[in-house]
Amino acid sequence: MNIDLRGRTALVTGSTQGIGLAIAEDLAAAGARVVVNGRTQERVDAAVAGLSGDVVGVAADVATDDGVAALARALPDVDILVNNLGIFGATPAREITDEQWRKYFEVNVLAAARLIRTYLPAMTERGWGRVIQIASDSALVIPEEMIHYGVSKTALLALSRGFAKDTAGTGVTVNSVIAGPTHTAGVEDFVYQLVDKSLPWEQAQREFMRAHRPQSLLQRLIEPAEIAHLVTYLASPLASATTGAAVRVDGGYVDSIVP
C-alpha cells in the first residue's frame, strides 16, 4: 500500500511524546509536512530534533482559547488535523471533583472542538481535508477507576460523528481512532498506580493486563507505532470513503463484532 502525503500539511496536537510523537513520525515518513505541537518550546524543539523529514514545531497550549489563537496565527491552514491531545489518570469515582470534570472536558473535548472550528472552513472550501480524533477504548468500556476520562472520550466520538455530518459531501472526512491500552511513558506511570511498584516493567505490564484489562485479545499493551499506522491511512487519499467512523485499533479489547 503506497501512502503518499507529499504536499499536505499535518498538525498533530500533543505530539512531543507517546502516541502523538509516533503519529508525527509516521506522517512525516509518508511525505507530509508535519507540525509538532506541545505546551513548551523546549519539549517541542526536542521532539522536532528527534524526527526526520519535513517537521516543524509550534508551542501552544491548545486547551485554551489563547493557545488556539496563537497556534492559528503561526499556522493559518492545515490539510490534516490530528486531535491527539488528552489527559488521563485514576481517581475513585466518588472522589472526582467538579474541577476535574471541567478540566477533562476542556482538554479532551473542547480543545478538539476549537481546532476543528479553526481549520475546517479552509478544508471544506478547497474540497479536501482530514480530521482525526484519537479516542480510546475507554469511550466504550468506561473504566471504573477513571470515569471522567471515559466520559470525555465518549463525547469525543460524538464530536467526530457530528462534524462528519457537518462536512457531508465536501471532500473532508472526520473520523475517530479508538486506541486500546498503549505503551507510553504516561501509561507506565498509570500502570504503577494500579500494580505493585516494585515489579519490573514486563511483569507489571502483564499484571496490569491480567487484573485491569483482561478482555484484551492481544494480552499486551499496543505500541504507539501501531496506532500511528492507522492514523496515517485515515489521513491519506486511500481512506476517502471512510468518514463519520470510530475505527478501532484496540487489540480486540472492546468486545464487539462491529467497528
Side-chain angles (χ1 to χ4, degrees):
M1 186 177 293
N2 181 26
I3 296 179
D4 185 355
L5 295 176
R6 287 175 296 181
R8 303 294 188 188
T9 297
L11 167 64
V12 185
T13 65
S15 50
T16 60
Q17 63 181 352
I19 292 173
L21 182 61
I23 292 169
E25 182 178 21
D26 213 54
L27 291 170
R33 177 178 184 262
V34 176
V35 181
V36 169
N37 162 253
R39 287 180 297 176
T40 69
Q41 193 66 54
E42 182 180 9
R43 290 176 64 86
V44 168
D45 289 345
V48 170
L51 295 173
S52 300
D54 187 0
V55 182
V56 298
V58 177
D61 183 358
V62 298
T64 67
D65 288 326
D66 289 344
V68 170
L71 178 63
R73 288 192 296 270
L75 184 68
D77 189 21
V78 300
D79 302 290
I80 300 162
L81 169 62
V82 182
N83 283 309
N84 169 75
L85 176 67
I87 57 173
F88 65 93
T91 304
R94 301 180 193 183
E95 297 177 17
I96 303 170
T97 65
D98 286 355
E99 182 182 358
Q100 286 175 299
W101 278 107
R102 282 189 288 268
K103 181 177 181 180
Y104 271 70
F105 267 81
E106 190 74 36
V107 177
N108 292 357
V109 183
L110 294 181
R114 291 187 188 99
L115 288 166
I116 292 171
R117 290 200 310 265
T118 298
Y119 290 113
L120 200 59
M123 290 183 186
T124 55
E125 183 176 345
R126 65 175 166 268
W128 199 95
R130 299 286 184 265
V131 179
I132 301 165
Q133 280 60 249
I134 305 303
S136 167
D137 56 80
S138 295
L140 304 177
V141 185
I142 305 294
E144 63 177 308
E145 72 274 8
M146 48 180 186
I147 294 173
H148 51 333
Y149 172 75
V151 171
S152 72
K153 290 298 186 177
T154 305
L156 197 59
L157 297 183
L159 183 80
S160 295
R161 182 67 184 180
F163 273 106
K165 292 180 178 180
D166 177 69
T167 59
T170 65
V172 177
T173 66
V174 185
N175 294 292
S176 295
V177 169
I178 297 176
T182 305
H183 180 199
T184 66
V187 167
E188 286 193 18
D189 293 339
F190 175 67
V191 166
Y192 279 118
Q193 290 181 39
L194 300 175
V195 304
D196 186 348
K197 293 180 174 60
S198 68
L199 292 174
W201 169 246
E202 287 303 321
Q203 188 176 345
Q205 176 184 185
R206 289 194 297 271
E207 176 60 21
F208 169 76
M209 297 301 288
R210 183 197 66 77
H212 298 281
R213 301 294 186 269
Q215 57 269 61
S216 168
L217 302 184
L218 277 185
Q219 298 183 9
R220 65 167 173 83
L221 291 173
I222 299 164
E223 292 301 321
E226 295 175 299
I227 309 294
H229 296 330
L230 179 58
V231 173
T232 298
Y233 166 72
L234 290 173
S236 77
L238 300 178
S240 56
T242 302
T243 192
V247 187
R248 290 164 50 199
V249 56
D250 66 343
Y253 178 82
V254 178
D255 191 7
S256 173
I257 59 173
V258 296

